[in-house]
Amino acid sequence: MEFLTSGAVEVSGVFGYCVIMPGNALLRLHESAPFSRVVPWRRRGLCLVLSSPSGGGKTTITRRLLRYDSSLRLSVSATTRPRRGDEEEGRDYYFLSLAEFEERRASGWFVETAEVFGNFYGTPRAPVEAALREGASMVFDIDWQGAEQLVRELGGDVVTVFLLPPDLGSLRERLKLRAQDGADVMEARLGGALREVGHWVDYDYVLVNHDLDEATAYVQSIFLAERLRRERQSGAADVIDEKLHP
Ligand code: 5GP
């Protein structure tokens, strides 16, 4: 554990946490192991939902969270949208036909589903239930409709974070940079992005993504603080009582 005084946010070291402290000092925590030393008992996992308009940086931040914390799991969604160039089945999405999607939805295979830009998306239920049962945490890159349904289904196990773009002009730029979908789809996505932003008021945490390193560090700090909440430390009472009254 060490304090850095630099104003820049340094997110270094695999599995490291980087938490911004008042006065721009940074408390850097390395490895997942020290976390289990700080909380050395059974814990309840949590579902960390990241939403932002497309191009808001949440995919990059999600990847970084996973890289820095080996215990965090990614929720891989299913979608009916066509696969984009570099996307892989099972890593980025499960790509389903509309009929397959409908069948799974009818059988309760999803914990939440939503229609986004004319395509269907859904979060498979089983990995979420397994993670919570095993005390592991999961990160979700889903939209406001999914966030709302997850909160309804899983209540206090869900923590929601909304990432706002620094300004809507830059959102347009970021969407252009992607430009994988053609001009009309991009316009539709921009309209959808503006509607998505309107839902920021329903989230637990809201931050502006001026800089990816900085935003990642803030999301990590939210995740860390939420994991330390007393009510998630389900095994604490037994261990502490045992020590106090052997
Ligand atoms: P994209 O097609 O660009 O990968 O994703 C479009 C939007 O759908 C993004 O806002 C993304 O967060 C959202 N999304 C992806 N998977 C899911 C899901 O399983 N459920 C919901 N509700 N939204 C999703």
Side-chain angles (χ1 to χ4, degrees), residues 176-221:
K176 259 191 211 146
L177 272 180
R178 281 181 146 195
Q180 296 182 50
D181 297 312
D184 49 340
V185 177
M186 205 202 85
E187 276 309 310
R189 280 179 174 264
L190 185 63
L194 299 181
R195 279 193 299 280
E196 176 95 24
V197 169
H199 289 276
W200 70 274
V201 287
D202 301 322
Y203 283 69
D204 298 320
Y205 296 92
V206 179
L207 60 122
V208 177
N209 180 14
H210 287 288
D211 172 276
L212 272 172
D213 287 342
E214 189 183 85
T216 306
Y218 274 98
V219 175
Q220 283 179 304
S221 64

Side-chain angles (χ1 to χ4, degrees), residues 30-158:
H30 281 292
E31 313 294 338
S32 331
F35 185 75
S36 20
R37 195 172 62 196
V38 174
V39 184
W41 36 67
R42 197 162 26 81
R43 300 178 292 274
R44 193 157 171 79
L46 70 90
C47 297
L48 182 72
V49 173
L50 279 188
S51 297
S52 72
S54 317
K58 66 182 179 298
T59 309
T60 311
I61 292 175
T62 303
R63 283 204 198 115
R64 291 185 183 190
L65 290 177
L66 292 163
R67 186 145 35 95
Y68 299 140
D69 187 332
S70 60
S71 70
L72 185 61
R73 302 178 190 178
L74 173 68
S75 170
V76 178
S77 298
T79 182
T80 59
R81 107 158 140 61
R83 198 166 67 85
R84 294 194 189 120
D86 54 348
E87 288 179 331
E88 269 179 37
E89 166 71 22
R91 186 195 67 179
D92 299 288
Y93 280 109
Y94 298 107
F95 295 95
L96 303 180
S97 67
L98 186 57
E100 286 169 328
F101 191 95
E102 290 297 0
E103 196 181 293
R104 292 188 193 201
R105 182 156 63 178
S107 72
W109 197 78
F110 295 113
V111 64
E112 64 79 29
T113 59
E115 186 178 349
V116 184
F117 310 127
N119 295 304
F120 291 96
Y121 295 81
T123 300
R125 178 185 295 276
V128 181
E129 291 181 348
L132 287 174
R133 216 175 26 245
E134 293 160 25
S137 294
M138 268 196 136
V139 60
F140 299 75
D141 170 344
I142 60 177
D143 80 334
W144 65 272
Q145 306 173 79
E148 201 173 70
Q149 291 169 68
L150 269 195
V151 170
R152 216 180 306 133
E153 281 266 329
L154 304 171
D157 289 327
V158 184

